[in-house]
Amino acid sequence: MEAVQRRRVTVRGVVQGVGFRPYLYTRATGLGLAGHVTNTPEGVVAEVEGAPAAVSRFCEHLAADAPPLAVVDAVDHHEVPVAGGAGFTIIASRTGGPARTLVSPDVATCADCLAELADPADRRHRHPFITCTHCGPRFTIVTGLPYDRAHTTMARFPMCPDCAREYGDPADRRFHAQPVACPACGPRLTLLTARTGRPPCQTPGEDPIAGARRLLAAGAILAVKGLGGYHLACDATQPRAVAELRRRKARGDKPFALMARDVRDAERYAHVGPEERALLEGGVRPVVLLRRRAAADPGGASVVLAEGVAPRCPDLGVMLPYTPVHHLLFGLPGDPPGPRLLVMTSGNLSGEPIVTDDEEALERLAGLADGWLTHDRPIQVPCDDSVVRVCDGETLTVRRARGYAPLPMTLPLPVPAILAAGGDLKNTFCLGEGHRAWLSAHIGDMDDLSTQYALERAERQLESITGVRPALLAADRHPGYRSARWARRTAGTRPLVRVQHHHAHIASALAEHGLDGEHPVIGVAFDGTGYGDDGAVWGGEVLLADYRGYTRFAHLAYVPLPGGDAAVHRPYRMALAHLRAAGLARTPDLPCVAACPPGELRVLERQLERGLNCVPTSSMGRLFDAVSSLVGVCHHAGYEAQAAIELEAAALGASGDGPGYAFGLRVPECSGAGPVVADPAPLLTAVAADVRAGTQPGLIAAGFHAGVTALVAELCALARERHGLDTVALTGGVFANTLLSSACARALRACGFTVLRHGRVPPNDGGLSLGQLMVAAAAAPDRHPHHPQRGEAHVPGGTRQSA
């Protein structure tokens, strides 16, 4: 009698909701094996029984042949006693025990579903919720694990007989696709329109999609319920509609995101390279920042994009439709013409979290929207759109959310169970344990109470699906950060590690690149604001750092930050502070002086003279602001980094590749005598002279970028000379500027440095929590049992700061 073997196979990773059980079913039946497969909190578990050769073939190459949306982390199998029986079955999921499986992100509608959506003969023709095993909602509908329909917001929609038959047929594309639905079993769209003084109501008898397209074409602003929250949409080619949306949303000058029908429509307004095309058309469908075409380069556009979409910005943020509702809004073949380009911005007032609840949407968006295209499937997890761009042919994540969250990062070192609270701007938090770290989706800015509540809800939800129960917390050192206060309240009796802001930025870059931290790197951390060890506002820092500590090797010279946030919102104040610190005359022939109202100028001069409310800052972000105003590019910032973004735009439009303006360096005679100080006074002197001489702002902006690049290269060369380090990490929000990032990377590599730049993790404060987690783990007493805590020897001549 032929020998029989039985093996139990456990597959961990993103293996639920992606067709993994049907895949194993097909694999087992094709080999003539008996047994079963089920979902469990730790992954997919199968038992297979049959001829030893067939069992071995089943276990081989499981990950390599897996379904397209699966991400296999580990496959474990071992022999178990033979049980007998015939046939292979999918059995009910097992519950109980800690969650150890991974939840898939939401995925854009696949080509097969789109073909059915447009096919009049298909029973799902024009169904706004068409989906299958290979696409659709995942993370945003999960209520628990294992990932079954009962643990999603689809639980309230019983399947009709046809859907149930597809769901139970192993040969069908919708076999065990948890969000499966059709027109007979829901969910359903509803279009509500605003009525003066009365609640919104449904238009009787009108197809919701047809009504929504009619409203958009008429210039209305529509709240559209998506996968992870509501959007506010309007026709991007109608200036009046765009201006009205900007006014209602209190958006200032901050650019709007756009949704184009297809890549061809995007190419009419922006440059799309092969990398950008792949991002636009892939399964994630993030907002991709594209360099816009010049006014003289129409790109075949027959309709003009409203200037109010992205005023004075060098980029357009464009995404393609990623849900069936989006595709229907643009219209299927044969539909009447409608808008081909929509503003698609988060459904909220500026600074608030995205709206997900239907009743809340009717209330909070009442003053913003003329209508609501909504539906009755609840959103369990808020998830805003991700934002990416391409820098030197590689993806640079600016905001990590839909399509990427909640996939974990693989850590170079194991960590205890930790929760890191992140920063106050662009907040994300991070949960980690073992070799995994789960960076949350974008939460928002913490100055709004509703954003703080959103952080609490998101943290509880991520704990529930990861099984991580943090015993240690981490937060920024800034005493006023709301995220740090939240961490202190949340910690209770658990220890809390306070992490210096720029150290966290550098640690984030190290972790993303898989460095174990055994050797320090030269960390160039340029941003707007970070709390320094001396109480000053840091932001132009060169630190020699690993996970366990850092030495401040160099920084920008301190200048006063007059009025705190007032200087951030009015860059001319920062320009005047820099001019005064450089000993330069503040005369009306300089644009920044002319931009400052006379009464404010007198008060500002007295404030700077007496040092009232003037915290010193070394911020590179504030230097960008100062030069932007000094040159006459931007005097008022309506959104974060506006002055720097517009300065970059001016530099991009300049011709020539000059040497750039020079900083002065104050270098201590020996490395133990304090940090190197980079003085911008010589640079500002040259810039002011060129402004007075009538030099084009773009040429000055380009020269400034070249000067900063040369400074980075010079400081890194000096650090290598004194400390023998040859790896540089470029981090902080300033390096979201691709012109600067690319120039610095080229210059450093030409000097023989290894350069680390962010890709999957944002360089801005959206990546801060990952670095906090790694620094806190290094500070844990049992973190390195085989490595003694190191002192000064590995970074000679400096004062090393621990976490």
Side-chain angles (χ1 to χ4, degrees):
M1 186 174 178
E2 186 180 4
V4 174
Q5 186 184 68
R6 189 178 185 92
R7 297 190 79 81
R8 176 175 294 147
V9 182
T10 302
V11 188
R12 296 178 177 86
V14 181
V15 291
Q16 295 184 9
V18 294
F20 211 90
R21 287 180 299 170
Y23 158 63
L24 293 187
Y25 175 94
T26 302
R27 194 178 180 99
T29 54
L31 292 167
L33 297 173
H36 57 78
V37 62
T38 185
N39 278 340
T40 75
E42 63 176 337
V44 170
V45 176
E47 290 192 9
V48 289
E49 183 173 319
V55 170
S56 294
R57 287 183 61 192
F58 176 90
C59 296
E60 292 171 356
H61 311 299
L62 272 180
D65 301 331
L69 298 186
V71 180
V72 177
D73 280 353
V75 178
D76 300 317
H77 53 88
H78 61 275
E79 194 166 348
V80 294
V82 172
F88 191 88
T89 59
I90 295 178
I91 62 175
S93 298
R94 296 207 310 263
T95 58
R100 286 293 181 266
T101 193
L102 304 179
V103 176
S104 167
D106 301 304
V107 183
T109 310
C110 69
D112 288 335
C113 284
L114 288 179
E116 294 171 347
L117 184 73
D119 183 1
D122 194 274
R123 73 186 191 90
R124 290 188 175 86
H125 178 231
R126 304 187 72 90
H127 179 51
F129 304 95
I130 191 168
T131 185
C132 72
T133 306
H134 305 308
C135 68
R138 296 292 191 276
F139 176 50
T140 53
I141 64 171
V142 168
T143 60
L145 291 176
Y147 177 72
D148 289 319
R149 193 179 182 94
H151 296 143
T152 72
T153 59
M154 289 296 296
R156 63 169 64 186
F157 302 102
M159 284 182 280
C160 70
D162 287 335
C163 285
R165 184 177 61 254
E166 293 168 339
Y167 183 86
D169 180 1
D172 196 280
R173 199 173 84 251
R174 294 185 170 89
F175 183 52
H176 280 256
Q178 308 309 336
V180 67
C182 76
C185 52
R188 284 171 175 75
L189 279 180
T190 302
L191 178 65
L192 305 174
T193 52
R195 299 180 299 167
T196 305
R198 291 178 290 173
C201 71
Q202 186 173 355
T203 305
E206 185 174 31
D207 172 61
I209 290 290
R213 297 183 75 224
R214 173 180 55 79
L215 286 171
L216 289 168
I221 296 167
L222 196 64
V224 180
K225 187 177 182 181
L227 288 179
Y230 277 82
H231 285 106
L232 291 169
C234 72
D235 187 340
T237 65
Q238 297 192 33
R240 188 172 298 178
V242 173
E244 180 62 14
L245 175 55
R246 189 171 289 284
R247 184 192 68 79
R248 293 184 191 180
K249 193 173 161 69
R251 182 79 171 184
D253 290 329
K254 190 174 183 179
F256 283 129
L258 297 172
M259 182 175 282
R261 178 197 294 263
D262 54 36
V263 170
R264 291 188 302 275
D265 283 329
E267 286 176 323
R268 293 185 171 99
Y269 305 98
H271 299 280
V272 181
E275 295 88 359
E276 287 91 351
R277 178 182 289 271
L279 288 165
L280 286 167
E281 295 183 329
V284 174
R285 300 286 172 102
V287 176
V288 183
L289 298 179
L290 306 171
R291 291 293 188 208
R292 66 194 305 169
R293 292 185 181 275
D297 179 19
S302 56
V303 181
V304 177
L305 183 69
E307 178 57 33
V309 166
R312 300 178 304 283
C313 185
D315 303 313
L316 290 177
V318 181
M319 59 182 158
L320 298 190
Y322 57 85
T323 72
V325 170
H326 296 149
H327 288 279
L328 291 169
L329 274 178
F330 283 109
L332 299 180
D335 282 350
R340 297 183 65 88
L341 199 66
L342 295 173
V343 167
M344 197 69 80
T345 188
S346 301
N348 54 9
L349 279 170
S350 292
E352 294 183 355
I354 192 169
V355 175
T356 58
D357 179 76
D358 298 330
E359 290 187 11
E360 190 179 4
L362 294 177
E363 178 183 344
R364 282 178 56 193
L365 304 182
L368 306 180
D370 302 309
W372 289 256
L373 183 61
T374 185
H375 58 76
D376 53 353
R377 182 181 69 203
I379 297 171
Q380 177 69 16
V381 184
C383 201
D384 223 323
D385 294 313
S386 293
V387 181
V388 303
R389 70 186 315 159
V390 173
C391 181
D392 296 333
E394 298 180 347
T395 301
L396 168 63
T397 302
V398 178
R399 183 170 76 191
R400 187 179 185 272
R402 177 187 52 77
Y404 298 109
L407 290 179
M409 305 290 296
T410 299
L411 299 178
L413 297 167
V415 301
I418 299 178
L419 165 62
D424 268 20
L425 295 178
K426 298 179 173 63
N427 176 268
T428 67
F429 64 89
C430 192
L431 277 174
E433 186 173 21
H435 281 280
R436 285 179 178 162
W438 287 264
L439 195 63
S440 77
H442 170 81
I443 304 294
D445 295 347
M446 296 294 288
D447 56 355
D448 188 271
L449 190 59
S450 58
T451 309
Q452 297 172 43
Y453 292 147
L455 169 62
E456 291 182 3
R457 291 192 299 270
E459 195 280 327
R460 288 196 300 268
Q461 193 272 342
L462 195 57
E463 275 197 35
S464 73
I465 67 170
T466 62
V468 175
R469 302 293 179 262
L472 175 67
L473 281 81
D476 195 274
R477 280 187 186 169
H478 195 300
Y481 266 18
R482 293 168 179 84
S483 56
R485 293 173 185 170
W486 174 82
R488 179 69 275 167
R489 293 193 305 270
T490 303
T493 58
R494 295 173 290 181
L496 172 65
V497 177
R498 305 299 286 262
V499 181
Q500 200 281 324
H501 190 91
H502 303 94
H503 186 199
H505 271 308
I506 297 163
S508 176
L510 298 183
E512 179 178 352
H513 284 272
L515 272 66
D516 63 11
E518 285 302 299
H519 303 284
V521 302
I522 305 167
V524 181
F526 287 173
D527 62 4
T529 301
Y531 186 73
D533 295 332
D534 54 2
V537 176
W538 289 9
E541 311 306 311
V542 179
L543 308 182
L544 312 182
D546 54 25
Y547 297 126
R548 280 168 279 182
Y550 60 91
T551 299
R552 195 184 193 194
F553 175 77
H555 63 86
L556 278 183
Y558 285 135
V559 297
L561 183 66
D565 284 347
V568 176
H569 299 306
R570 286 173 267 177
Y572 61 79
R573 294 175 69 96
M574 207 63 237
L576 292 166
H578 265 286
L579 289 173
R580 190 178 190 280
L584 298 173
R586 279 83 67 203
T587 54
D589 57 341
L590 294 177
C592 57
V593 179
C596 184
E600 182 181 350
L601 181 60
R602 289 191 294 272
V603 173
L604 182 61
E605 289 284 2
R606 286 198 299 271
Q607 183 180 3
L608 290 169
E609 182 180 346
R610 299 173 184 176
L612 298 174
N613 195 18
C614 288
V615 177
T617 181
S618 61
S619 169
M620 180 61 79
R622 300 289 79 82
L623 180 59
F624 267 80
D625 291 351
V627 173
S628 186
S629 180
L630 175 57
V631 173
V633 170
C634 179
H635 303 302
H636 295 84
Y639 62 92
E640 186 189 6
Q642 179 179 354
I645 288 170
E646 293 185 7
L647 189 68
E648 179 189 7
L652 287 167
S655 58
D657 208 8
Y661 301 102
F663 288 78
L665 284 190
R666 300 199 291 270
V667 182
E669 291 185 6
C670 61
S671 59
V676 176
V677 177
D679 186 0
L683 177 147
L684 294 165
T685 301
V687 168
D690 280 352
V691 170
R692 290 184 169 116
T695 305
Q696 292 181 359
L699 291 175
I700 300 175
F704 173 69
H705 279 76
V708 175
T709 300
L711 173 68
V712 169
E714 186 174 5
L715 290 175
C716 291
L718 186 58
R720 177 169 59 187
E721 176 186 323
R722 293 199 167 189
H723 300 289
L725 307 179
D726 57 8
T727 298
V728 179
L730 302 178
T731 186
V734 168
F735 285 107
N737 177 327
T738 55
L739 178 64
L740 180 69
S741 177
S742 182
C744 287
R746 282 197 309 272
L748 289 167
R749 286 170 182 149
C751 295
F753 287 100
T754 298
V755 180
L756 310 178
R757 289 188 292 176
H758 289 277
R760 294 171 296 153
V761 176
N764 56 42
D765 284 6
L768 202 65
S769 58
L770 175 63
Q772 291 173 346
L773 181 141
M774 294 302 295
V775 173
D782 58 346
R783 175 64 184 80
H784 295 281
H786 57 292
H787 291 301
Q789 289 295 314
R790 295 177 299 171
E792 302 298 325
H794 72 298
V795 184
T799 302
R800 182 173 171 79
Q801 304 293 325
S802 68

